[in-house]
Amino acid sequence: MSGRLIDGKQIAADLRGNVARRVQEFRDATGVIPRLVAVLTGDDPASAVYVKNKHTACEAAGLGTEVIRLPHQTTEAELLQVVHRLNADPTLHGILVQLPVPPQINPQRVLDAVAPLKDVDCFHPENVGLLVQGRPRFLPCTPAGVQRLLIHEQIPTAGRHIVVLGRSDIVGKPLALMLMQKGTGANATVTVCHSQTRDLAAITRTADILVAAIGVPRFVTAEMVRPGAVVIDVGINRVDGRLCGDVDFEPVREVAEAITPVPGGVGPMTIALLLENTLTAARLQVVPRSPGTV
Ligand code: GUN
């Protein structure tokens, strides 16, 4: 049996269409174009591709968008200065500092400097705190993308065991939190595994849903997956010039009930959720022309 493919590309395209309609309504009601600025520091080729894709998606959704490119030698003080300038600009609503930043820059200090209402990545401690307390202002894009996929595919989560492989601040940690909280696409029993976890395969084999977000190409093998489980692959790795995920796709598909491909799974969802967060940021910052119109 070959597991069903979860078509993230199509689901994301539908969501992007939906965001585009709501962006148009917002523009009609307020006269304001929600605007996102991405800051790309250095010359990491993968980051350049991600930022370009985000930029193109913003344009297609009717969002204003700009990319600020800074050289690899940019100092932390210089990057902070840019962030402060963007914070103070009332014509832009979302700020995305693309990671990784070059090694001379402490990413935490830069992310902490982003105005919380413009923090469309949901990386600022104030927004992470709100998320932890179950009253999110923004949802982090990749974890929210995973959750939307599960909801769209009507994959039940309540009471089920979800194993998250990886404990990063961007994916593993917030995703585990979101899945265990009350709400749609949540209420799960969540286990987080990482590089220090003993007898990893014994744990992953107990998962009803297994999420791979560890950044190691094809790490998850068929032996690590319980037959009939759902497998969500968050990894984006480049091996011999080709993209692959954190899951050894073909053999794992043979045992899984459903699986996301790479590319075309979680990646497009991340971008769609970024567009949605940019609209949310604009709603939070723009005073409507008259109450109830937005
Ligand atoms: N680098 C890899 N993923 C992300 C992301 O979701 N946001 C930002 N800002 N940088 C990233």
Side-chain angles (χ1 to χ4, degrees):
M1 183 199 75
S2 204
R4 175 166 56 88
L5 261 196
I6 299 175
D7 187 354
K9 205 168 156 187
Q10 183 59 51
I11 300 164
D14 292 346
L15 178 54
R16 281 165 53 172
N18 176 285
V19 174
R21 278 190 294 282
R22 286 185 284 141
V23 167
Q24 189 57 54
E25 283 167 18
F26 180 87
R27 290 173 61 157
D28 292 344
T30 62
V32 174
I33 302 175
R35 213 152 70 87
L36 174 74
V37 172
V39 183
L40 177 60
T41 313
D43 28 46
D44 178 57
S47 290
V49 173
Y50 297 150
V51 166
K52 183 168 168 285
N53 290 344
K54 290 169 187 176
H55 182 73
T56 308
C58 280
E59 282 183 334
L63 297 166
T65 172
E66 186 190 331
V67 180
I68 296 178
R69 289 185 175 79
L70 301 174
H72 184 79
Q73 320 82 280
T74 302
T75 65
E76 187 177 296
E78 286 167 339
L79 181 52
L80 284 171
Q81 214 167 27
V82 170
V83 170
H84 291 143
R85 177 168 62 76
L86 301 176
N87 284 344
D89 182 345
T91 71
L92 75 91
H93 311 96
I95 300 171
L96 181 143
V97 179
Q98 184 66 30
L99 300 176
V101 287
Q104 71 277 15
I105 298 172
N106 178 332
Q108 204 64 64
R109 273 203 285 273
V110 176
L111 300 177
D112 286 1
V114 173
L117 290 179
K118 298 189 178 189
D119 172 35
V120 287
D121 266 323
C122 194
F123 289 166
H124 191 282
E126 182 177 312
N127 290 324
V128 176
L130 289 170
L131 181 72
V132 171
Q133 292 185 343
R135 46 181 187 139
R137 175 185 281 148
F138 299 107
L139 293 174
C141 301
T142 301
V146 170
Q147 194 173 42
R148 290 284 184 96
L149 280 182
L150 295 172
I151 294 168
H152 182 276
E153 295 297 295
Q154 301 183 331
I155 294 163
T157 52
R160 300 183 88 207
H161 187 205
I162 303 184
V163 174
V164 177
L165 272 178
R167 55 177 161 180
S168 71
D169 288 339
I170 296 185
V171 183
K173 225 187 274 181
L175 177 61
L177 186 80
M178 288 163 60
L179 294 170
M180 68 151 197
Q181 283 177 333
K182 293 177 182 169
T184 311
N187 283 317
T189 303
V190 181
T191 302
V192 179
C193 296
H194 48 77
S195 54
Q196 302 288 309
T197 300
R198 268 186 287 141
D199 208 358
L200 187 71
I203 298 172
T204 59
R205 273 197 300 268
T206 66
D208 299 306
I209 301 170
L210 178 60
V211 183
I214 37 168
V216 180
R218 303 190 187 105
F219 180 86
V220 175
T221 58
E223 297 71 41
M224 297 169 72
V225 178
R226 184 179 63 74
V230 171
V231 179
I232 307 290
D233 192 349
V234 181
I236 303 178
N237 310 289
R238 200 168 280 276
V239 176
D240 301 329
R242 290 188 57 198
L243 282 187
C244 73
D246 291 350
V247 175
D248 193 12
F249 181 79
E250 292 300 343
V252 171
R253 186 179 181 184
E254 289 307 308
V255 292
E257 193 252 315
I259 186 167
T260 60
V262 177
V266 175
M269 294 299 289
T270 298
I271 295 183
L273 268 295
L274 175 68
L275 306 182
E276 192 163 88
N277 279 355
T278 303
L279 176 59
T280 302
R283 284 191 203 283
L284 291 169
Q285 291 164 79
V286 175
V287 180
R289 273 184 187 142
S290 57
T293 53
V294 202

